[in-house]
Amino acid sequence: MWLEVLLASVLGFVIYWFISQDKEEILPLEDGWWGPGVKPIAREDESIRPFKVETSDEEINDLHQRIDKFRLTPPLEDSRFHYGFNSNYLKKILSYWRNEFDWRKQVEFLNKYPHFKTKIEGLDIHFIHVKPPQLPSGRTPKPLLMVHGWPGSFYEFYKIIPLLTDPKSHGLSDEHIFEVICPSIPGYGFSEASYKKGFNTVACARIFYKLMLRLDFQKFYIQGGDWGSLICTNMAQLVPRHVKGLHLNMAFIARNLSNLSLLMGRRFAGFFGYTERDVELLFPWKEKIFYNIMRESGYLHIQATKPDTVGCALNDSPVGLAAYILEKFSTWTSSEFRNLEDGGLEKKFSLDDLLINIMLYWTTKTIVSSQRFYKENLGQGLTQKHDRMKVFVPTGFAAFPCEIMHVPQTWLRSKFPKLISYSYMAAGGHFAAFEEPKLLAQDIRKFVTLVEQQ
């Protein structure tokens, strides 16, 4: 009997081993039309047009009037940021926003990099395209697409761009010099929102791939966090031959044995492939994973089910919009910041930086369309084909210690078999490029070195 059990076990293991072998699947590169009405017969205008951020007295006066009329609810005693955004600290932000923040000056600052728009699949796609100010003789820059997430924007990359395009001027080696392209996800910022249901990360990845081709890049590097990480992952699944390397600072791992390993991983860390640092960041798992996700994911459920309802309020009130978004910049930068009266917001960011990002949602009226992206991707659950597919391009990962959920290297390898670089970052949370631009730039450079040594 025991021999039969042993033989059956061995046979079962062999069958599982063959079934679970890496299969290099590719997502079908289809086409789409997300503009209004039926797709025109005429060929789409593929021109690339310069674009400038602008403002007006009317826009600024309307903002000020709405701030002046806002009704504040006092916080509970000693609530800090445990109930959400503390309205006592919100008073300080509103005073600065109303009386000191100079939107005209910030518009000029936003225009420091070249902006463009181009029509792809019926939508006007906005992007910034920054070339190196100088190149050593005989060198060509490496094209790098960087994709933001929610509630961020292309502005998240303003501090990291010079470290990538002009590294020598910032104390870094010029071994790798990049040409950086940062698009706005359709429905975010200055990119036109889809007029039709179903616009998800795969459709966005296809559009950004077409953008890179339109810019005459056949092979390129891609980098992202939050939604940007999934969009870039999908791009690697769609067109792996065009992606030289995929660098992420967040990853969506839908199917693996992580749930089982969490139950026993602290005691049998080595058996499950966890390092000492993984144990520090994962355990106790009830607090660091389960309770933390429960505290931070209420917005996700709303936006994945009824985004337009809460969007009505946020699109009408700049103060409500600021509180809703800035709360994420507090607790997603560090969960410990919820224990502070000011949410720790100014520990990593200036008020100008935070308010520029808010203004990119407010002035473009894109909070509703940005939230719809959750319903298009998560409204039906994680059941899409790309969730089950592996990624077969060289991959690098930067594990920032204050990210909402830590992803160990052993989990990543189940999705990214060609993971060649995994770094435990010294500091930083969810908004990596915004918080720690130098750390992220250094890790991207390390990853590209490893890719090009292969």
Side-chain angles (χ1 to χ4, degrees):
M1 177 182 173
W2 287 111
L3 180 59
E4 292 173 351
V5 171
L6 179 61
L7 289 173
S9 300
V10 171
L11 181 61
F13 175 79
V14 171
I15 292 171
Y16 172 79
W17 186 82
F18 275 108
I19 291 174
S20 63
Q21 287 300 290
D22 293 342
K23 297 178 181 178
E24 293 202 25
E25 292 183 271
I26 297 177
L27 278 177
L29 187 63
E30 299 169 344
D31 205 357
W33 175 260
W34 306 102
V38 180
K39 182 178 180 180
I41 298 174
R43 184 176 178 179
E44 191 168 54
D45 177 12
E46 296 185 355
S47 63
I48 296 173
R49 314 179 310 276
F51 171 78
K52 284 192 71 174
V53 184
E54 296 178 340
T55 188
S56 65
D57 289 341
E58 181 182 7
E59 184 175 75
I60 294 170
N61 290 338
D62 176 69
L63 170 71
H64 288 171
Q65 289 171 11
R66 290 170 185 264
I67 293 175
D68 289 341
K69 293 180 179 179
F70 182 69
R71 301 180 301 176
L72 221 58
T73 302
L76 295 174
E77 294 177 5
D78 196 34
S79 60
R80 291 162 286 174
F81 265 59
H82 288 279
Y83 282 70
F85 207 97
N86 187 294
S87 57
N88 283 339
Y89 180 62
L90 186 58
K91 291 178 185 177
K92 175 185 175 181
I93 292 178
L94 297 186
S95 176
Y96 182 85
W97 198 4
R98 175 64 175 85
N99 303 308
E100 299 178 58
F101 180 74
D102 188 342
W103 178 230
R104 290 190 182 278
K105 178 182 176 182
Q106 302 306 336
V107 163
E108 290 181 17
F109 178 68
L110 286 172
N111 286 320
K112 70 180 284 189
Y113 294 132
H115 294 248
F116 302 91
K117 283 191 174 185
T118 188
K119 282 277 187 182
I120 305 177
E121 296 191 8
L123 301 178
D124 235 359
I125 304 301
H126 161 262
F127 63 99
I128 57 175
H129 185 180
V130 187
K131 299 180 180 181
Q134 55 188 1
L135 274 172
S137 179
R139 299 275 299 279
T140 56
K142 298 172 173 65
L144 172 64
L145 178 79
M146 303 189 78
V147 185
H148 67 89
W150 188 92
S153 63
F154 66 90
Y155 180 62
E156 289 181 63
F157 302 113
Y158 265 51
K159 293 177 182 177
I160 197 173
I161 286 173
L163 304 179
L164 298 168
T165 58
D166 190 18
K168 201 165 187 179
S169 297
H170 296 85
L172 300 173
S173 165
D174 64 356
E175 177 187 5
H176 303 299
I177 302 176
F178 298 91
E179 183 171 344
V180 179
I181 300 91
C182 300
S184 294
I185 297 171
Y188 289 68
F190 301 110
S191 278
E192 192 174 8
S194 172
Y195 292 79
K196 295 173 171 58
K197 295 186 293 183
F199 185 85
N200 60 12
T201 56
V202 176
C204 186
R206 184 178 63 241
I207 283 178
F208 288 170
Y209 162 63
K210 291 180 178 180
L211 171 64
M212 295 302 279
L213 292 184
R214 193 167 293 182
L215 293 171
D216 205 25
F217 297 123
Q218 292 296 319
K219 290 196 172 184
F220 43 84
Y221 289 96
I222 53 180
Q223 199 283 329
D226 197 85
W227 281 127
S229 71
L230 188 50
I231 292 166
C232 289
T233 297
N234 292 158
M235 194 180 300
Q237 293 168 323
L238 285 166
V239 289
R241 293 182 181 178
H242 292 267
V243 177
K244 293 187 69 175
L246 166 68
H247 186 279
L248 306 173
N249 55 275
M250 185 178 178
F252 294 82
I253 311 293
R255 294 169 181 266
N256 58 33
L257 299 177
S258 58
N259 292 336
L260 292 175
S261 67
L262 285 174
L263 297 175
M264 299 179 287
R266 193 170 194 176
R267 180 170 295 182
F268 303 102
F271 178 79
F272 290 107
Y274 295 153
T275 65
E276 289 184 13
R277 184 59 174 149
D278 291 332
V279 172
E280 291 174 4
L281 295 171
L282 285 174
F283 299 98
W285 69 270
K286 282 187 179 180
E287 172 59 32
K288 294 192 175 180
I289 298 178
F290 181 73
Y291 294 137
N292 195 43
I293 289 176
M294 290 293 290
R295 278 191 294 260
E296 296 301 326
S297 62
Y299 83 98
L300 186 149
H301 186 73
I302 292 172
Q303 293 175 191
T305 53
K306 304 288 182 67
D308 287 26
T309 304
V310 68
C312 288
L314 301 177
N315 195 45
D316 190 59
S317 168
V319 181
L321 178 68
Y324 191 74
I325 287 179
L326 293 184
E327 181 232 302
K328 309 308 179 192
F329 279 87
S330 167
T331 51
W332 292 4
T333 300
S334 172
S335 61
E336 297 300 316
F337 286 173
R338 67 170 64 95
N339 297 316
L340 304 177
E341 293 292 336
D342 63 357
L345 276 170
E346 293 176 74
K347 289 183 178 292
K348 285 290 186 78
F349 312 106
S350 71
L351 289 182
D352 279 348
D353 281 339
L354 294 169
L355 290 172
I356 287 172
N357 187 65
I358 299 300
M359 291 294 285
L360 289 174
Y361 281 87
W362 175 252
T363 59
T364 59
K365 305 178 181 69
T366 52
I367 186 60
V368 176
S369 53
S370 74
Q371 292 179 149
R372 287 174 180 164
F373 205 48
Y374 282 79
K375 185 168 179 64
E376 305 297 11
N377 286 287
L378 303 175
Q380 306 302 318
L382 296 173
T383 58
Q384 300 179 68
K385 183 178 181 181
H386 68 82
D387 293 318
R388 303 185 298 272
M389 287 176 57
K390 297 187 178 185
V391 178
F392 293 93
V393 302
T395 304
F397 190 82
F400 284 87
C402 294
E403 180 56 274
I404 300 167
M405 180 174 174
H406 174 64
V407 181
Q409 183 173 348
T410 185
W411 295 6
L412 281 168
R413 288 199 180 278
S414 68
K415 176 87 174 179
F416 305 93
K418 293 189 177 181
L419 183 72
I420 63 171
S421 173
Y422 182 95
S423 306
Y424 295 101
M425 307 305 286
H430 186 71
F431 304 97
F434 211 25
E435 297 173 48
E436 300 289 347
K438 191 167 186 178
L439 288 180
L440 183 60
Q442 288 171 331
D443 199 66
I444 292 170
R445 291 161 55 79
K446 181 187 83 171
F447 166 64
V448 171
T449 298
L450 293 173
V451 172
E452 301 195 351
Q453 286 176 349
Q454 289 187 324

